[in-house]
Amino acid sequence: MELFRLSATEVAFGVRDGRFSAEDVVRSCLSRIESKEPEIHAMLTVTAEAAIARARELDGRRSAGEDLGPLGGVPVILKDNMCTAGVKTTCASRILEEWVPPYDATVVRLLLKAGAVLLGKANMDEFAMGGSTENSAFGVTSNPWALDRVPGGSSGGSAAAVAAGYAPIALGSDTGGSIRQPASFCGVYGLKPTYGRTSRYGLVAFASSLDQIGPFARTAEDVALVMEVLGVHDPMDSTSQPVPPDDFSQALSARDLKGKRIGYLKEVAEYDYDDRMKNALSKAMKACEEAGAEMVEISLGTAIDHGLASYYILAPAEASSNLARFDGVRYGSSSKDPESLMELYLKTRKDGFGDEVKRRILTGTYVLSAGFYDAYYLKAQKVRKVIKQEFAKAFEKVDSIILPPSPTPAFKVGELIDDPIAMYMADVFTIPVNMAGLPGISINVGFSEEGLPLGVQFIAPRWGEKELLSTAAVMESRFGGAKIADGGDL
């Protein structure tokens, strides 16, 4: 049996029942990483020895009759912007290349408490700024389904790792679509939870009012399993909301969508985007109707027409503030032999940050500067409020909303890297969800003729993750779970 092909749920049951050991599972996943990593490059750090030691510890505890927890023996990979005690957290940036955090992020602590085994840290766009994982200071990640294509971003390494069979579960962070877009590009499930559902403590901040941690998996059941571990209040994060823990697995019992009203956007029908994504959306809408849902046309004009522009004012503004801490004094690398404190700041940041990060810091500093604050930042905040009101009004008519996760399937490496506006436009359908703080899930509904994964995303009201998982389970019964890619050029 190739244990790396099992879902997280199957691994947890198998280890619990003694059908195989946690060490067997970990060694199978590490062997998969070793064989595929030279062509995919999804990982920045592989903690092989620590993972085997952890698996042996879990096997010993199981033999002693101890309950390992819901993720007992399940291998997990983390995006490299989540703090891990004793393990480098680089954010794919030269400025944090050798930084080792002294503590675990809350999500890491919760995973370990639930019995998970950390395999390592995944590649990403530098400080989560990008949509292709090409902005990593440590090299590009390839899409496991087509090596000349990007895996999406910024959590591209995490999505590629799950699609390639490195681990059944990976965590990413989603600020403007960074879980849902790579999930679509790589043909796996990706859930962006409601803002405040999962803790951000220990997540290196990009845009604090938008960032949210969520899981990648190959089945809806595994997404629910992870959310039951992570979806708890954390007093260490002031934005974590004290909502009661939810029984997400209960939502998986849905067999149809009878009585459900699903909204589709008038603006998307009029939007000029890739025919392959249009066909995927049409196929998913037809499947929803066949499952008993009523499809209702709705409008989110401000969200689609102005969400992107507003986001690229607000997110860089927050980034310029959050990244001010990386000055060569407190974290990461420092310029050697500076002649003054100012020279230390300037050289450290010039050499440490990549072009995209510098572009967003400059944009953010500009829109926050005296004379421009009201014209840009304040106006963007007002647009954000209207977007929230639009969604609230829409959810008076429907239970969930269906959207494409991106205007195109995975594009080629290098195709958009020199055109930042075109790259930003790839987020047009995901960003409004972050602006409103809503949950969204991306699921695979098939492949293009050339073999590229095609996804759709469903959006629900705040705290509506069970609604999303219920819909995902019904869609999975029609389209099947996500498959493992074996790599290759198309």
Side-chain angles (χ1 to χ4, degrees):
M1 182 190 299
E2 293 179 308
L3 296 175
F4 71 84
R5 295 190 182 277
L6 298 180
S7 71
T9 305
E10 290 169 333
V11 169
F13 273 115
V15 170
R16 193 177 308 152
D17 295 345
R19 283 185 278 124
F20 42 76
S21 69
E23 182 175 351
D24 290 339
V25 177
V26 167
R27 287 190 179 280
S28 178
C29 290
L30 290 173
S31 176
R32 179 70 173 178
I33 292 173
E34 187 177 1
S35 67
K36 291 295 178 186
E37 190 58 0
E39 60 186 17
I40 296 175
H41 185 49
M43 304 295 291
L44 293 180
T45 302
V46 178
T47 53
E49 291 185 9
I52 292 171
R54 164 75 169 165
R56 286 174 177 167
E57 175 213 332
L58 291 169
D59 288 333
R61 286 166 51 189
R62 189 199 67 81
S63 298
E66 189 175 332
D67 180 7
L68 301 182
L71 295 176
V74 175
V76 174
I77 289 170
L78 305 173
K79 186 176 182 178
D80 202 21
N81 60 351
M82 298 169 202
C83 288
T84 40
V87 179
K88 285 197 298 184
T89 298
T90 70
C91 292
S93 178
R94 292 289 177 201
I95 207 165
L96 291 179
E97 188 169 3
E98 299 299 332
W99 185 59
V100 179
Y103 69 99
D104 282 328
T106 293
V107 292
V108 178
R109 181 176 57 77
L110 291 171
L111 288 173
L112 294 176
K113 184 181 177 185
V117 180
L118 175 62
L119 292 187
K121 311 292 285 290
N123 200 10
M124 55 184 282
D125 285 298
E126 185 178 9
F127 284 102
M129 298 180 193
S132 63
T133 315
E134 294 173 286
N135 292 322
S136 169
F138 308 117
V140 178
T141 294
S142 291
N143 191 312
W145 290 100
L147 298 178
D148 63 339
R149 306 267 174 167
V150 302
S154 63
S155 309
S158 297
V162 171
Y166 290 6
I169 297 292
L171 296 191
S173 62
D174 193 319
T175 305
S178 291
I179 290 175
R180 289 158 290 149
Q181 183 249 33
S184 174
F185 280 17
C186 292
V188 298
Y189 290 81
L191 175 71
K192 181 257 169 201
T194 305
Y195 185 79
R197 172 76 83 175
T198 55
S199 172
R200 296 185 305 108
Y201 179 73
L203 172 70
V204 179
F206 160 19
S208 303
S209 75
L210 298 160
D211 299 336
Q212 194 67 184
I213 293 174
F216 291 95
R218 295 191 294 268
T219 67
E221 185 177 38
D222 281 0
V223 174
L225 179 67
V226 177
M227 283 306 299
E228 287 178 358
V229 172
L230 302 185
V232 296
H233 177 238
D234 179 16
M236 299 295 286
D237 174 7
S238 62
T239 64
S240 173
Q241 297 299 306
V243 293
D246 236 329
D247 181 4
F248 295 106
S249 297
Q250 190 182 44
L252 304 174
S253 61
R255 293 292 175 266
D256 57 50
L257 298 175
K258 290 176 182 172
K260 298 292 185 184
R261 294 170 300 167
I262 299 177
Y264 61 95
L265 298 193
K266 170 177 169 286
E267 292 78 13
V268 169
E270 298 168 350
Y271 198 88
D272 183 19
Y273 65 108
D274 191 283
D275 286 342
R276 292 165 293 184
M277 298 304 290
K278 287 181 183 175
N279 293 336
L281 184 68
S282 297
K283 189 164 73 169
M285 288 173 60
K286 184 179 178 185
C288 290
E289 281 189 303
E290 290 173 351
E294 177 188 356
M295 305 305 293
V296 179
E297 183 181 85
I298 59 172
S299 176
L300 292 171
T302 303
I304 299 301
D305 293 342
H306 303 293
L308 189 84
S310 303
Y311 172 89
Y312 277 101
I313 292 172
L314 298 177
E318 294 187 28
S320 72
S321 175
N322 278 325
L323 270 63
R325 74 193 68 180
F326 303 112
D327 55 10
V329 177
R330 289 169 291 181
Y331 304 98
S333 63
S334 298
S335 176
K336 304 299 180 191
D337 304 320
E339 294 183 358
S340 67
L341 182 61
M342 184 56 71
E343 188 173 298
L344 170 69
Y345 291 160
L346 294 175
K347 282 191 173 180
T348 297
R349 290 167 70 83
K350 174 178 177 291
D351 296 339
F353 290 137
D355 290 344
E356 181 61 28
V357 173
K358 289 175 185 170
R359 182 180 296 121
R360 298 199 193 194
I361 290 175
L362 286 170
T363 303
T365 304
Y366 178 79
V367 301
L368 289 175
S369 59
F372 299 102
Y373 181 89
D374 287 356
Y376 296 105
Y377 184 79
L378 189 59
K379 188 174 288 185
Q381 287 287 21
K382 290 178 180 176
V383 172
R384 185 177 190 178
K385 185 175 181 180
V386 173
I387 291 172
K388 289 180 179 178
Q389 291 169 341
E390 272 192 345
F391 272 109
K393 190 175 178 183
F395 284 123
E396 291 175 359
K397 300 178 183 175
V398 297
D399 300 293
S400 62
I401 298 170
I402 187 170
L403 276 169
S406 68
T408 69
F411 46 86
K412 290 191 174 181
V413 174
E415 187 176 339
L416 300 181
I417 193 65
D418 295 324
D419 187 348
I421 300 300
M423 188 75 82
Y424 297 167
M425 289 300 293
D427 299 332
V428 65
F429 298 135
T430 50
I431 275 174
V433 180
N434 299 79
M435 296 282 276
L438 304 175
I441 190 168
S442 178
I443 66 172
N444 178 259
V445 295
F447 292 79
S448 67
E449 289 183 359
E450 67 266 50
L452 297 175
L454 302 173
V456 297
Q457 63 169 330
F458 290 90
I459 317 302
R462 281 172 63 80
W463 318 118
E465 283 86 349
K466 287 177 75 172
E467 179 75 26
L468 296 179
L469 287 166
S470 172
T471 303
V474 173
M475 291 294 101
E476 186 174 291
S477 69
R478 282 156 174 76
F479 295 109
K483 300 176 179 64
I484 289 179
D486 287 317
D489 293 310
L490 294 177

